[in-house]
Amino acid sequence: MLRVMKRVDVRKLTVDGRNILRQMVVRLRQQSGMRVEDLAKVSGAHPSTIRGWLARAKREGTESLEERPRGRPVGACRKLTLAAEAWIRDQIVQKDPRQLQMPFALWTRPAIRQLIRERFGIDLQVRLVGKYLKRWGFTPQRPVKRALEQNPEAVRQWLEVEYPRLRARALQEGAVIYWGDETAVKEDAHWVRGYAPKGQTPILEHPARWTTLSMISAISPRGEIAFEIVEGSIHAERFIAFLEKLITGAPQKVFLVVDNLRVHHAKVVSAWLADKQDRIELVFLPPYAPESNPDEYLNRDFKTALRTGPMSTDTQSLLEKATTFMNGLRQLPEKVARYFHHPAARYAMLDI
């Protein structure tokens, strides 16, 4: 009893599939003498298609039924060889354009075009470069900003030598160590997302000019926090005012660890500190090492809080929103202490 196959469209089969089907039909015809109609039922091919195969096999031999792949071989007519493609992909993944003495910060299509031209002497169109990138599985993406570490040796020196020395001094003098930082108080509109008809960008109306707000804060591993929000930027006089506030009524001497912002090194700041060495000292982090400052992670939480909830309509509402968050944080010392749990700041986690 013949098993009837569902009719198939031979054109939709792969080259290998069509070859196998033809050879099977011819062998069945030769070995069993089956009628064309029965061969059609067994193979699923149309009877007229089978008649064509049999006639061609009888006329030219069964080898004539062997079909070869059509079109150009994969990779043919490409301007770049496979070895060149592999080399370019490695450069994009492993290196920065600046490492190759190229005037680009990221791997853009013009940057890759220049790389190909300089390395292989081939000038590709930018559109063709885009096709290569798509074929390699590369997509354009928004970069993650990372602080540039200019001197890793200085960071190592801070973690292994300078901070342990500072901690020993604090223990000896019965002092507490704070970490301080400044940040702008603002709601970044580009973080906001809103729905609108396709092709129509939603409009966010806000005052063209606001009074700038800035915040300076300091935290300790014990969860203590001090902060000040002011109009304008943090200049030397405001920094001194914050230091005065930090030590007023403090039962212990304060070591305040800060970055190398110019205001921290101002002459008036140094003069103010000169006769207060028994109450407060500034200690400076190595350059380009913001991740080593636990207060940096408070600032991230602070900015996230400002971006959530209703948008502020003026400076006063923004000030109230910022102050509410910081006052609430002041009531959560365990949360403040968790900023020292970040892997880059854990070295400072031990209580002083």
Side-chain angles (χ1 to χ4, degrees), residues 214-318:
S214 301
M215 182 181 77
I216 181 170
S217 61
I219 59 176
S220 79
R222 296 184 297 200
E224 298 160 318
I225 183 171
F227 73 93
E228 191 76 33
I229 300 177
V230 299
E231 292 188 359
S233 59
I234 303 295
H235 49 62
E237 288 73 19
R238 286 175 172 166
F239 182 53
I240 290 173
F242 176 75
L243 297 180
E244 182 69 55
K245 178 179 177 180
L246 188 62
I247 63 175
T248 298
Q252 300 168 276
K253 176 180 176 179
V254 172
F255 286 102
L256 179 61
V257 182
V258 292
D259 60 21
N260 286 272
L261 192 67
R262 182 178 299 178
V263 68
H264 300 157
H265 292 278
K267 292 182 179 179
V268 291
V269 173
S270 300
W272 183 86
L273 290 167
D275 61 350
K276 299 176 181 63
Q277 296 296 308
D278 60 331
R279 299 177 62 197
I280 185 170
E281 287 188 40
L282 294 188
V283 181
F284 298 99
L285 285 163
Y288 305 101
E291 67 281 353
S292 299
N293 189 345
D295 202 22
E296 181 74 20
Y297 307 107
L298 181 154
N299 288 340
R300 294 184 186 181
D301 267 4
F302 176 69
K303 291 178 180 179
T304 300
L306 294 183
R307 296 179 185 120
T308 58
M311 291 287 292
S312 302
T313 56
D314 52 29
T315 302
Q316 184 59 34
S317 61
L318 178 59

Side-chain angles (χ1 to χ4, degrees), residues 56-80:
R56 184 174 178 182
K58 183 177 181 180
R59 184 175 64 251
E60 303 176 17
T62 56
E63 294 80 5
S64 65
L65 299 177
E66 191 75 21
E67 182 180 351
R68 292 176 174 78
R70 300 177 181 179
R72 296 195 299 261
V74 176
C77 301
R78 291 187 188 175
K79 293 183 178 292
L80 296 174

Side-chain angles (χ1 to χ4, degrees), residues 22-216:
R22 292 186 186 113
Q23 296 297 331
M24 180 192 74
V25 168
V26 172
R27 283 199 302 270
L28 285 174
R29 175 74 169 193
Q30 292 172 344
Q31 295 172 5
S32 63
M34 292 176 64
R35 297 182 305 118
V36 170
E37 289 74 13
D38 293 333
L39 290 171
K41 294 178 180 178
V42 172
S43 65
H46 195 276
S48 61
T49 302
I50 292 177
R51 291 190 184 95
W53 291 348
L54 296 176
R56 184 174 178 182
K58 183 177 181 180
R59 184 175 64 251
E60 303 176 17
T62 56
E63 294 80 5
S64 65
L65 299 177
E66 191 75 21
E67 182 180 351
R68 292 176 174 78
R70 300 177 181 179
R72 296 195 299 261
V74 176
C77 301
R78 291 187 188 175
K79 293 183 178 292
L80 296 174
T81 64
L82 291 178
E85 290 186 39
W87 183 86
I88 296 167
R89 290 198 302 269
D90 286 344
Q91 305 310 302
I92 297 173
V93 171
Q94 300 176 11
K95 295 184 179 179
D96 183 285
R98 289 166 293 189
Q99 292 178 272
L100 300 175
Q101 308 302 314
M102 298 177 64
F104 300 92
L106 294 170
W107 285 115
T108 59
R109 290 187 298 175
I112 297 168
R113 179 189 185 190
Q114 180 173 321
L115 176 67
I116 295 171
R117 183 168 57 241
E118 293 179 356
R119 175 72 179 188
F120 303 104
I122 300 174
D123 192 8
L124 302 181
Q125 295 181 350
V126 171
R127 184 178 179 183
L128 183 54
V129 172
K131 289 184 177 180
Y132 273 107
L133 290 169
K134 183 177 180 180
R135 187 180 298 132
W136 299 336
F138 288 30
T139 58
Q141 301 174 55
R142 180 176 295 177
V144 176
K145 295 183 180 180
R146 183 177 62 188
L148 181 62
E149 188 175 292
Q150 296 282 5
N151 191 353
E153 179 59 29
V155 176
R156 188 196 64 78
Q157 178 75 9
W158 164 256
L159 295 176
E160 297 180 6
V161 179
E162 295 178 20
Y163 178 70
R165 185 182 299 159
L166 171 63
R167 174 172 166 75
R169 279 193 61 197
L171 288 171
Q172 182 180 6
E173 300 179 27
V176 62
I177 302 177
Y178 277 83
W179 277 258
D181 198 17
E182 294 88 2
T183 189
V185 180
K186 62 181 181 180
E187 297 167 318
D188 296 328
H190 66 270
W191 278 73
V192 180
R193 296 293 184 268
Y195 285 95
K198 187 176 181 180
Q200 299 182 25
T201 304
I203 298 174
L204 175 65
E205 294 185 352
H206 60 89
R209 294 185 177 221
W210 279 13
T211 303
T212 303
L213 297 178
S214 301
M215 182 181 77
I216 181 170

